[in-house]
């Protein structure tokens, strides 16, 4: 039998132990999200609210959001890819170039089991979800936003040139461009000083001339640009467009000036993103004067790019990370986020009220296309993108012949290995 002194000592030890346990915080299921500090502050505020609401719905879970500028964010991801530490979730652009850099480096966790568990394909726009299937070894990432690019056209200029219907094939587009040229109206306006604006024309021509499979292989650098005839044909076609069908001299203006010339009726068409609707509306343009149609490449794929959230292989809580992404993608949350992250949600079940006709057209396009091809600067690594820009600009300005363009680009690609 314990003495009174021993009993008191035992009680004291138990009390201290209990006090110690009560003072020790319960280990929460913490996850960290690395993302950008977005220029649109509404997006920053909305994202933080999503995290707070998720925490409230999942007691004991904490979501830490780390935001950086673009270059600092890319640097942090490259460091994480080469170390044993990193975020649970990270933001990146989708595609074989930028997003693919981290997938190839082993930073991205395949998400096939989570796509099945949460039935994400039942909720996501097919065009937005398509980027997850670009990589080998499984599905990677889920959509954060998706941006489509298509042809905006001036209805009055089409009518003036005798064009009665939107072109549905590439051949019909060429015929429309010839009618516009005969009427003294440039078919397209581009801004050449920013590189990526003119790149869009080369991208869609590659898709048209090479077809989906070869286009993807050229951008993935698994096909030799000098041995695939469609690559040289594409540069030749691109040269013809820049000489015969564009508002001159486009190489001396930027994308903003190109936009102003389009709204002034100086050219009939502009190859732009879905965001142009709000830009047109904000500048006081009459939206009824414009129409849109996907650039007709005859491949049944939509031109565009996406921003994705990826689960990191460094995550100690991938199941919680997936649960957070499922919450973010859910219809209710996406409905609440509408207009804060983007004018169009990546969730196909979101309802839209008071849509303008052009916005409704975009939604129809997004719902129609289940396959996409992406901008060259999203598909290529950064150094190849820079060379791609240079070659395109030289062909557009006439300083490089189309027959030499493919050789120069392939020579640069070969020099990297």
């Amino acid at each position: 039998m314990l003495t009174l002194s021993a009993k008191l000592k035992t009680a004291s030890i138990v009390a201290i132990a209990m006090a110690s346990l009560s003072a020790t915080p319960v280990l929460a299921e913490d996850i960290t999200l690395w993302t950008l500090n977005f220029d649109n502050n509404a997006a920053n505020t909305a994202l933080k609210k999503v995290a707070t609401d998720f925490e409230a719905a999942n007691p004991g879970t904490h979501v830490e959001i780390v935001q950086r500028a673009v270059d600092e964010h890319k640097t942090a991801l490259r460091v994480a890819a080469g170390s044993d530490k990193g975020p649970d979730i990270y933001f990146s652009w989708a595609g074989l170039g930028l997003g693919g850099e981290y997938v190839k480096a082993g930073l991205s966790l395949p998400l096939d089991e989570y796509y099945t568990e949460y039935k994400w394909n039942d909720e996501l726009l097919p065009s937005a979800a398509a980027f997850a299937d670009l990589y080998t070894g499984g599905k990677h990432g889920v959509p954060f936003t998706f941006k489509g690019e298509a042809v905006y056209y001036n209805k009055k200029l089409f009518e003036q040139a005798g064009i009665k219907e939107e072109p549905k094939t590439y051949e019909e587009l060429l015929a429309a461009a010839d009618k516009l040229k005969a009427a003294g109206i440039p078919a397209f306006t581009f801004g050449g000083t920013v590189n990526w604006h003119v790149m869009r024309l080369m991208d869609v021509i590659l898709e048209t001339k090479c077809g989906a499979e070869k286009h993807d292989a050229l951008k993935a650098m698994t096909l030799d640009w000098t041995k695939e005839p469609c690559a040289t044909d594409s540069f030749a076609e691109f040269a013809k467009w820049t000489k015969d069908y564009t508002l001159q001299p486009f190489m001396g203006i930027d994308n903003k000036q190109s936009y102003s010339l389009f709204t002034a009726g100086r050219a009939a068409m502009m190859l732009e993103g879905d965001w142009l609707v709000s830009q047109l509306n904000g500048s006081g343009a009459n939206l009824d004067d414009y129409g849109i149609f996907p650039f007709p490449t005859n491949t049944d794929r939509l031109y565009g790019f996406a921003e994705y959230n990826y689960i990191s292989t460094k995550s100690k809580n991938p199941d919680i990370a997936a649960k957070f992404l499922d919450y973010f993608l859910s219809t209710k949350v996406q409905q609440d986020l509408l207009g804060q992250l983007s004018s169009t949600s990546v969730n196909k079940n979101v309802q839209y009220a008071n849509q303008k006709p052009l916005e409704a057209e975009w939604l129809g396009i997004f719902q129609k296309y289940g396959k996409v091809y992406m901008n060259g600067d999203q598909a290529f690594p950064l150094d190849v993108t820079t060379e791609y820009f240079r070659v395109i600009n030289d062909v557009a300005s006439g300083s490089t012949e189309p027959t030499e363009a493919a050789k120069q680009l392939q020579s640069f690609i070969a020099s990297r290995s």
Side-chain angles (χ1 to χ4, degrees):
M1 181 179 293
L2 293 172
T3 64
L4 178 60
S5 175
K7 288 180 180 179
L8 290 173
K9 184 177 181 181
T10 300
S12 177
I13 292 171
V14 171
I16 292 171
M18 292 299 292
S20 176
L21 286 173
S22 63
T24 301
V26 177
L27 291 177
E29 294 178 303
D30 293 346
I31 57 172
T32 302
L33 166 63
W34 287 5
T35 190
L36 298 184
N37 187 12
F38 298 101
D39 292 335
N40 173 15
N41 195 52
N44 298 322
T45 302
L47 192 58
K48 290 172 183 175
K49 184 178 185 303
V50 170
T52 301
D53 291 348
F54 177 77
E55 291 170 347
N58 297 273
T61 299
H62 174 65
V63 181
E64 180 186 4
I65 299 177
V66 178
Q67 294 180 279
R68 300 180 175 94
V70 172
D71 289 341
E72 286 79 5
H73 178 69
K74 290 179 181 178
T75 299
L77 289 177
R78 291 189 182 107
V79 171
S83 70
D84 59 354
K85 295 181 180 179
D88 296 278
I89 302 169
Y90 67 89
F91 166 98
S92 183
W93 295 265
L96 298 174
L98 293 174
E101 175 185 346
Y102 308 117
V103 174
K104 290 177 183 177
L107 187 59
S108 173
L109 184 73
L111 303 183
D112 302 71
E113 64 174 295
Y114 297 123
Y115 267 86
T116 300
E117 178 182 351
Y118 290 113
K119 300 179 180 179
W120 283 333
N121 282 333
D122 292 341
E123 285 196 298
L124 296 172
L125 283 173
S127 49
F131 292 84
D133 296 315
L134 293 175
Y135 315 102
T136 57
K139 291 177 173 288
H140 287 267
V142 294
F144 180 71
T145 63
F146 174 69
K147 308 295 185 184
E149 292 155 287
V151 178
Y152 289 76
Y153 69 95
N154 185 312
K155 293 179 180 179
K156 293 178 181 177
L157 293 182
F158 263 40
E159 182 180 355
Q160 186 177 327
I163 303 168
K164 299 185 179 353
E165 294 182 347
E166 294 176 354
K168 295 181 175 58
T169 66
Y170 184 68
E171 294 70 27
E172 290 178 1
L173 180 62
L174 282 176
D178 283 329
K179 286 184 177 181
L180 288 162
K181 183 178 179 181
I185 303 167
F188 274 93
T189 176
F190 289 98
T193 63
V194 293
N195 295 317
W196 47 264
H197 211 235
V198 183
M199 173 203 70
R200 293 174 181 170
L201 178 59
M202 185 64 200
D203 286 344
V204 296
I205 289 175
L206 276 167
E207 178 78 2
T208 305
K209 289 292 182 181
C210 294
E213 186 176 345
K214 287 183 179 179
H215 184 191
D216 287 349
L218 286 168
K219 291 285 177 64
M221 300 178 292
T222 57
L223 266 187
D224 190 318
W225 285 70
T226 61
K227 294 179 180 178
E228 183 47 62
C230 75
T232 298
D233 291 345
S234 295
F235 279 114
E237 190 78 357
F238 171 77
K240 178 177 174 58
W241 273 93
T242 57
K243 177 182 177 183
D244 295 344
Y245 301 134
T246 53
L247 179 64
Q248 304 290 336
F250 65 94
M251 292 303 291
I253 63 174
D254 63 16
N255 58 306
K256 293 179 181 178
Q257 292 169 308
S258 178
Y259 168 80
S260 297
L261 291 168
F262 176 65
T263 55
R266 297 282 301 278
M269 291 179 279
M270 196 172 188
L271 182 53
E272 268 293 348
D274 56 286
W275 57 84
L276 197 73
V277 177
S278 60
Q279 189 175 345
L280 286 167
N281 189 53
S283 64
N286 184 356
L287 296 184
D288 293 336
D289 291 341
Y290 302 96
I292 54 172
F293 59 89
F295 192 100
T297 60
N298 305 340
T299 64
D300 200 32
R301 299 202 302 179
L302 180 64
Y303 186 43
F305 63 92
E307 298 166 328
Y308 263 42
N309 282 318
Y310 299 79
I311 295 181
S312 168
T313 52
K314 316 298 180 182
S315 174
K316 292 181 173 56
N317 288 314
D319 290 345
I320 301 301
K323 189 174 183 180
F324 173 77
L325 291 178
D326 181 61
Y327 179 80
F328 174 79
L329 295 171
S330 66
T331 303
K332 181 184 181 305
V333 172
Q334 286 292 309
Q335 189 75 59
D336 292 341
L337 289 173
L338 192 62
Q340 298 180 74
L341 300 181
S342 179
S343 60
T344 305
S345 172
V346 297
N347 184 310
K348 67 184 180 183
N349 300 314
V350 164
Q351 299 297 310
Y352 297 82
N354 304 317
Q355 273 197 309
K356 298 173 177 63
L358 284 182
E359 292 173 330
E361 279 194 67
W362 266 116
L363 184 59
I365 289 171
F366 287 145
Q367 291 173 334
K368 175 184 176 182
Y369 287 88
K371 296 179 180 179
V372 297
Y373 64 103
M374 72 197 76
N375 299 47
D377 56 356
Q378 305 290 320
F380 280 133
L382 179 59
D383 60 335
V384 181
T385 292
T386 302
E387 179 66 6
Y388 186 51
F389 286 161
R390 186 195 67 77
V391 172
I392 289 171
N393 291 345
D394 285 353
V395 172
S397 64
S399 60
T400 294
E401 291 296 320
T403 52
E404 290 297 314
K407 294 179 183 178
Q408 291 182 14
L409 183 58
Q410 184 59 41
S411 176
F412 181 85
I413 291 170
S415 71
R416 301 172 73 247
S417 56

